[in-house]
Amino acid sequence: RGQPKMAAYLTHQQKVLRLYKKSLRHLESWCIYRDKYRYFACLLRERFDKNKDVKDMVKATELLKAGEEEFWANQHPQPYIFPDSPGGTSYERYECYKIPEWCLDFWHPSEKAMYPDYFAKREQWKKLQRESWEKELKQLEEETPADGPRTEALPPARKEGHLPPLWWQYVTRPREIPM
Amino acid sequence: MEATLLLNTSMILTLTILLTPITLPLLSKTFQNSPLTITRTIKTAFLISLVPMTLFMYSGAESIISNWEWKFLMNFKIPISLKMDQYSMMFFPIALFVTWSILQFATWYMSSEPYITKFFYYLLLFLIAMLTLTLANNLFLLFIGWEGVGIMSFLLIGWWQGRAEANTAALQAVLYNRIGDIGLILSMAWLALSMNSWELQQTFTPTQTPTLPLLGLILAATGKSAQFGLHPWLPAAMEGPTPVSALLHSSTMVVAGIFLLIRTHPMLSNNQTALTTCLCLGALSTLFAATCAITQNDIKKIIAFSTSSQLGLMMVTIGLNLPQLAFLHISTHAFFKAMLFLCSGSIIHSLNGEQDIRKMGGLQKTLPTTTSCMTIGNLALMGTPFLAGFYSKDLIIESMNTSYLNTWALLLTLLATSFTATYTLRMTLLVQTGYTRTATITPMNENNQTITNPITRLALGSITAGLLITSFITPTKTPPMTMPTLTKTAAIIVTILGILLALELSNMTHTLTQPKQTPLTNFSSSLGYFNPLSHRLNSLTLLNSGQKIASHLIDMSWYKKMGPEGLADLQLMATKTSTTFHSGLIKTYLSSFALSILIILSIY
């Protein structure tokens, strides 16, 4: 509830905040020791706060442009990237172990017989998915505007006894770190 | 006689024991491999391989086993011949010891992997290929081992194949090794043509060996041992899991190129051009790698560049015509480099996957065993007197100082030695000392024996290996005994200067001045701009020339210019010049025809 709507363009506030966070992260990559980082972070914050109340959009945009250019000139060549973020050392490391769930259907019956209760339960889940698929599609078709969806968020279930649309993809998603 | 028999038997026994994890599951139906069985196999093989080593140390017994010839041609024989000389007999226990420690560590490190047994299989296959390479008496068997380690390196670097960077790195490793293989195949072809054999005993020529096959061998070593020019794959190979980096890219695989040059050094020793190439190439590699290592922030990349730098130093030793010293450096380097990688693996797992040294600090108090062994390894790397690295590194620098060779190479090597001290101390200061900058909740512990035992074992090796090897192996060439004091202490002085530089730089990071990009730090951070330049320029020129050949050369030139359009152009040119000649006065032409016919008729 109350989630921000993504539009096609960024507001000025969003751009300034993104520049601030970017420059703080690169400052953290430069100033390894925490006290030095805190000192320069406070200086940076003061520079941003000085122009906080500029009401003239032209001047504000010029300040932002100058700030972006200064960031580009002073950025760190090897910025610190968290291991699980894109570009980090563990990113997508376990992607090769994330197999889709429909591979279970291709197991040999002798292998399936090793886990009989799991596969029996799975048959019930698949039956549920087959029954609710039409209703999910109908709900999505009704709720999507004519010129395409506005956001990536899926709507919740509206009627009693219905399941949220595309719930199967969410429920059968692979683990983050495989066993 | 008995010594040789015992030697041969124990070596073959070692090899057979190493093959048991592959053969036993085929023979018995209930036997299942597990990481534990493979580790125990390697440990048994190590203990048995101590027998040939002690035999060699005490009786100097060497042997060559030769069996089963591949009757390829009538007068060209390719036997499976195994050479047990000082190099292979010393390398076996060292490689098996290091591998045993790494595998024991990997049972903890990779314990959350679904396919851990396959991982251990790959490491075992790699080890077998590497030992084949060391035992080979002819270049054919060596080539089999060479390619084997290349393939296993590809499979192991790209272990987590869902990751795009890992696939790129594996591809880089294979391509750069392939470029080196061109050189190896060139030398093998020359040898087959001129010596009619690939046996190492036949490669010796009393006169000067031609430079071309030697350049081929040097190219092979450049590719496999990551010298400057074919080096980018080694830092990229850190995408693989840490046991892979510890085994392949620090102790065993990357020394295969240097090992090839050690095996073929009779060919190299009388060609001064080849030796100078080795010297200058090695000096350039060692300085370049040391320069790049100074500004790296990923702990594995720092150790990777350190490996690259030490490989350059080994190449310098080959260039000084001292293969035995190069082998000594290979042996001592294996111990402390593998230990450094294992320590970094322990740190990475303790910090839940964090590899950046900017987010480590104060680990001396929280991981005492790991960091103490890391300090021992770093001291050995810097060449601290009487640790393992000292016996090889100091001797190399002394020999270089006292030889009358390239001064430029000497200066580069000394500079690289000081940089070694610089980046090592930088790593130590940022990782182990000061206040901690790690995340607040970490699974930090050293309670597992499977972590501490391998690391302490290798630490013991780092301290004692240099002394033990030099005490028991007789040198083939006399080292320089007397030299001025400055020459003798050059390595230590340069190391101390590097330490002072590192302390000064760390002081600067504490002072409140805003750090900036400077050309020097940019050169070092972007690894000398080598990667984008070579990777993009190469593919760009290749694709451009391909496009020009395909469309311009074939389509435009052959089909148009040489063919119809060209002919049409020629015709057009001819007609344009000759158009103005005739003026179109038909009546005058007809009357001239009639007049000339009348004159001819009137003559006849």
Side-chain angles (χ1 to χ4, degrees), chain B residues 449-485:
Chain B
Q449 287 278 321
T450 31
I451 316 171
T452 44
N453 277 352
I455 295 183
T456 40
R457 223 183 294 134
L458 284 175
L460 205 63
S462 304
I463 299 174
T464 53
L467 180 63
L468 286 175
I469 301 179
T470 42
S471 322
F472 287 109
I473 307 294
T474 45
T476 45
K477 297 194 173 115
T478 43
M481 292 293 176
T482 57
M483 61 193 86
T485 323

Side-chain angles (χ1 to χ4, degrees), chain B residues 170-192:
Chain B
L171 209 55
Q172 256 185 314
V174 157
L175 288 176
Y176 277 114
N177 276 344
R178 248 307 167 241
I179 300 177
D181 288 350
I182 298 175
L184 185 59
I185 296 181
L186 174 73
S187 328
M188 281 170 73
W190 179 86
L191 267 178

Side-chain angles (χ1 to χ4, degrees), chain B residues 59-214:
Chain B
S59 68
E62 299 185 0
S63 83
I64 301 179
I65 305 176
S66 190
N67 50 17
W68 195 72
E69 269 178 24
W70 180 24
K71 298 218 184 327
F72 184 43
L73 287 175
M74 276 303 119
N75 52 358
F76 191 86
K77 300 192 194 312
I78 308 178
I80 299 183
S81 57
L82 309 174
K83 182 175 163 93
M84 335 283 194
D85 66 339
Q86 58 162 322
Y87 297 129
S88 57
M89 283 197 286
M90 294 298 301
F91 191 75
F92 250 69
I94 293 172
L96 285 170
F97 183 72
V98 168
T99 313
W100 168 38
S101 306
I102 291 173
L103 287 186
Q104 199 182 359
F105 181 82
T107 52
W108 169 74
Y109 193 83
M110 307 290 284
S111 54
S112 63
E113 280 285 323
Y115 297 117
I116 185 173
T117 315
K118 189 161 88 155
F119 183 75
F120 274 69
Y121 255 136
Y122 282 359
L123 286 177
L124 183 71
L125 279 176
F126 162 78
L127 184 68
I128 293 172
M130 185 72 206
L131 294 177
T132 315
L133 201 156
T134 34
L135 275 180
N137 193 31
N138 53 3
L139 280 180
F140 185 68
L141 202 56
L142 192 138
F143 189 65
I144 294 177
W146 186 273
E147 292 298 299
V149 299
I151 303 260
M152 295 325 293
S153 170
F154 170 78
L155 287 172
L156 282 167
I157 296 175
W159 175 253
W160 288 308
Q161 69 257 31
R163 204 175 135 75
E165 283 102 333
N167 288 334
T168 321
L171 209 55
Q172 256 185 314
V174 157
L175 288 176
Y176 277 114
N177 276 344
R178 248 307 167 241
I179 300 177
D181 288 350
I182 298 175
L184 185 59
I185 296 181
L186 174 73
S187 328
M188 281 170 73
W190 179 86
L191 267 178
L193 280 177
S194 59
M195 310 290 181
N196 200 27
S197 161
W198 275 333
E199 298 288 310
L200 291 177
Q201 279 72 31
Q202 309 288 334
T203 58
F204 181 65
T205 51
T207 57
Q208 200 191 39
T209 333
T211 321
L212 186 62
L214 297 178

Side-chain angles (χ1 to χ4, degrees), chain A residues 64-78:
Chain A
L64 179 63
K65 187 167 173 214
E68 288 279 359
E69 278 168 11
E70 191 184 331
F71 168 76
W72 183 259
N74 290 347
Q75 64 180 327
H76 196 281
Q78 299 168 17

Side-chain angles (χ1 to χ4, degrees), chain B residues 201 278 343 366 449 604:
Chain B
Q201 279 72 31
C278 282
C343 293
T366 45
Q449 287 278 321
Y604 287 110

